[in-house]
Amino acid sequence: MSDATISLLILGAVILVFVWNRLPVGVVAIFTALSLWATGVLTLDDALAGFGDPVVIFIATLFVVSEGIDSTGVTAWAGQAIIDKTGDGFVRVMCAVMLLCAVLTALISLNGSVAALLPMVVVLARRIGQPPSQMLMPMAFAGSAGSLLVLTGSPVNVIVSEASQDAGGGGFSFFAFTVMGVPLLIVTIVLCLTLGRRVLPNRVSKSLPPDLSQHAATLSQHYALDDGLYRLRVRGGSPLIGTIPGDVDLGAYRGVTLIGLQAGTEDPNPVRHQVDENDVLVVTGPPEQISHLVVDQVLAVGMKRLPGEGEVDLLNRELGVIEVVIPPRSPLVGETVFPGMLRGPDLVILAVQRLGRDRGPVNTELAVGDAMLIHGTWPAIDALVDDRDILIVDSPDLVRRQAVPLGPKAIRAIAVLTSMIVLLAVGLVPPAVAGLLAASAMVLLRVVGVEQAYRSVSWGTVVLVGGLIPLSTALQQSGAAEQIANVIINLVGDGRPLLLMLALFALTGVLGQIISNTATTLIVVPIAVSAALETGVSVQPILMLIAVAGSASFLTPIATPANMMVMAPSGYRFGDYWKLGLPIMAAWLVLSLVIIPLVWPF
């Protein structure tokens, strides 16, 4: 049995297993590479070469870059900007999301734009009351159209441009692809809006993160934060010095309530004996009455007013809020606390709840199951993650990236992203090098930590792409792909350029659903050039068609890594993609057959 036959049999088996959808796609990819080695089609080095391929490395680095963009609140800012400009209407939000993904794809790559925007779109979907499954596939498909907006939008564009130059037809200019990209993007958006809600599933993934975009407002309402809290330090000469805590009378100040007194030392407990200099009164009440209290009782504002209901300072770049619960056997059980009490230099208790009811401005002896709302600096809040004395309700990292637009490291993250875009646009270095430089810069500039960078990579996607690259190598080296193409070309015959374009679109489109766009293009381009030369057709319209067909990867989740990225968060299944992808692919074919001959004559 020839290597070509074996390659085709393995290709058919892979397609069947993917459609069966009972095995993890990463495992299928690994078995594919091993099968090519076990049957002797590829050497061991060639069978494992996909895992070191520059495309795989570039994809991995894009996850790190997108993590930096997302974790610093850049995507939260973009999502908020979309909501502010478009409101919560589904059509307007979808148009904005698809246009943003298309433009970002043209600047970096399809995989990078989808990875960067995915968390934001999930939050947007939940905010407007739609399942993410209604939005993520259209976003990815719009990104595929965006890859045809400029020359650097996709490696496919670069490949066909170089092939056209080598064949004597002249290369394509930077904006030559825009002629096709803009109409394709428009028709993609129209079809996603008209057909998407009918054919896409209303399915919610079990792995979706909670929507914390309105976290501050939710906590303010849940804990009934009203007038805000003030910490007032007792100064020397204050008439309160020497007073028993129970005898402190603030009745002369209308609306002012004494919540508690805390010792001025590092002792976190309330004042138990007499008020002394540097002790702190925690009060609540009208600001004007608080001002009179400060002057009359010789006090100093030890900390600015703590946030109350509606305060924007509850969550910002420097300060955050976290909800914690007292677990069984915690040493905090039995400790007396009150709202406004300082816990360490950078944390303040805002409120305490028991059995779901707010305790109000009173002293509380903590019990198992009590909940506390704690406000402070983000580093101090992050340190609570490792504190075994409490249980954190929501991850501080998740709260920060969803609810705090443009965090303190956002400028550095944007600078790194911009630098990577420039490197990719001008072609100073290969894409993999640009990605590695950007990912390294994210770590060196402390935008993301080392462990955070490793965790951000979708290793399932990396394994899938790395394991399937050897299959495209086998199809090319064994001659299997060329055999199929020659059969199609022989069926078309001479003097029928439109039929030739139709056949090449079908060939490219089919291969592009099961192997990478880049590999598909590399396989089809030599055949397309030969067919054009043999039939006397100009290579430019044929190669532009290959670029369009190579980007039309809509029918399966394995067609592009971007399709895979949106699969889990949306709860998509293998068979969900073709229902929307097939009409879009047909529309792309029609537009190609109409526009390409007009711009690039045969």
Side-chain angles (χ1 to χ4, degrees), residues 121 185 240 264-265 371 409:
V121 177
L185 177 59
L240 295 176
T265 65
K409 301 176 183 178

Side-chain angles (χ1 to χ4, degrees), residues 434-450:
L436 287 170
L437 289 173
S440 300
M442 286 289 186
V443 175
L444 293 176
L445 293 176
R446 302 183 184 277
V447 177
V448 298
V450 176

Side-chain angles (χ1 to χ4, degrees), residues 539-563:
V539 295
Q540 281 210 321
I542 298 299
L543 289 176
M544 179 57 70
L545 176 92
I546 299 303
V548 173
S551 299
S553 300
F554 305 132
L555 305 186
T556 67
I558 62 172
T560 66
N563 289 3

Side-chain angles (χ1 to χ4, degrees), residues 56-372:
V56 174
I57 295 173
F58 184 47
I59 290 172
T61 61
L62 290 176
F63 283 106
V64 180
V65 175
S66 65
E67 171 70 10
I69 294 296
D70 182 44
S71 64
T72 56
V74 176
T75 50
W77 168 80
Q80 187 60 54
I82 289 177
I83 289 294
D84 292 342
K85 297 294 184 181
T86 64
D88 56 1
F90 176 78
V91 173
R92 292 192 297 270
V93 171
M94 275 301 305
C95 286
V97 166
M98 287 189 284
L99 287 172
L100 179 61
C101 187
V103 172
L104 191 56
T105 297
L107 295 175
I108 48 175
S109 72
L110 173 62
N111 302 322
S113 63
V114 170
L117 296 179
L118 195 153
M120 179 202 76
V121 177
V122 169
V123 171
L124 281 177
R126 301 184 67 172
R127 193 181 300 179
I128 65 175
Q130 295 290 332
S133 59
Q134 289 286 314
M135 298 183 67
L136 289 181
M137 191 185 297
M139 177 191 71
F141 288 177
S144 293
S147 67
L148 289 164
L149 290 176
V150 293
L151 174 64
T152 56
S154 168
V156 170
N157 302 350
V158 179
I159 292 171
V160 298
S161 180
E162 292 180 354
S164 178
Q165 184 74 38
D166 294 340
F172 295 106
S173 65
F174 190 82
F175 290 106
F177 293 88
T178 311
V179 177
M180 284 303 304
V182 171
L184 293 176
L185 177 59
I186 293 173
V187 75
T188 300
I189 293 176
V190 171
L191 288 175
C192 285
L193 293 177
T194 55
L195 296 179
R197 305 191 77 171
R198 300 178 183 179
V199 300
L200 290 177
N202 288 311
R203 198 177 296 136
V204 178
S205 172
K206 297 180 180 179
S207 61
L208 280 179
D211 179 8
L212 302 175
S213 56
Q214 303 297 320
H215 195 57
T218 301
L219 291 178
S220 294
Q221 182 179 10
H222 186 65
Y223 280 89
L225 301 180
D226 296 321
D227 295 326
L229 305 170
Y230 298 83
R231 289 180 56 85
L232 307 177
R233 180 175 56 84
V234 177
R235 299 168 59 189
S238 171
L240 295 176
I241 294 177
T243 306
I244 302 299
D247 294 338
V248 175
D249 183 13
L250 303 182
Y253 306 95
R254 184 169 47 86
V256 176
T257 301
L258 175 65
I259 299 176
L261 291 97
Q262 189 170 12
T265 65
E266 294 182 358
D267 181 4
N269 292 313
V271 174
R272 299 186 183 277
H273 302 293
Q274 296 179 341
V275 177
D276 199 359
E277 184 177 353
N278 292 324
D279 286 349
V280 175
L281 282 74
V282 180
V283 299
T284 184
E288 64 277 4
Q289 293 296 322
I290 298 296
S291 298
H292 295 319
L293 172 64
V294 169
V295 174
D296 297 343
Q297 302 298 326
V298 192
L299 305 174
V301 179
M303 182 179 290
K304 72 175 184 178
R305 181 188 180 197
L306 298 176
E309 184 176 4
E311 286 283 333
V312 297
D313 285 339
L314 194 62
L315 283 172
N316 57 39
R317 298 184 187 183
E318 290 78 28
L319 301 173
V321 66
I322 198 71
E323 189 177 16
V324 303
V325 176
I326 307 301
R329 296 173 296 280
S330 170
L332 296 178
V333 173
E335 182 176 315
T336 300
V337 299
F338 52 83
M341 184 174 178
L342 194 66
R343 295 288 302 182
D346 296 318
L347 293 174
V348 181
I349 297 173
L350 291 184
V352 182
Q353 282 193 351
R354 176 168 293 167
L355 299 178
R357 295 184 178 181
D358 195 81
R359 293 282 296 166
V362 298
N363 291 336
T364 300
E365 186 175 301
L366 292 176
V368 174
D370 285 352
M372 292 191 296

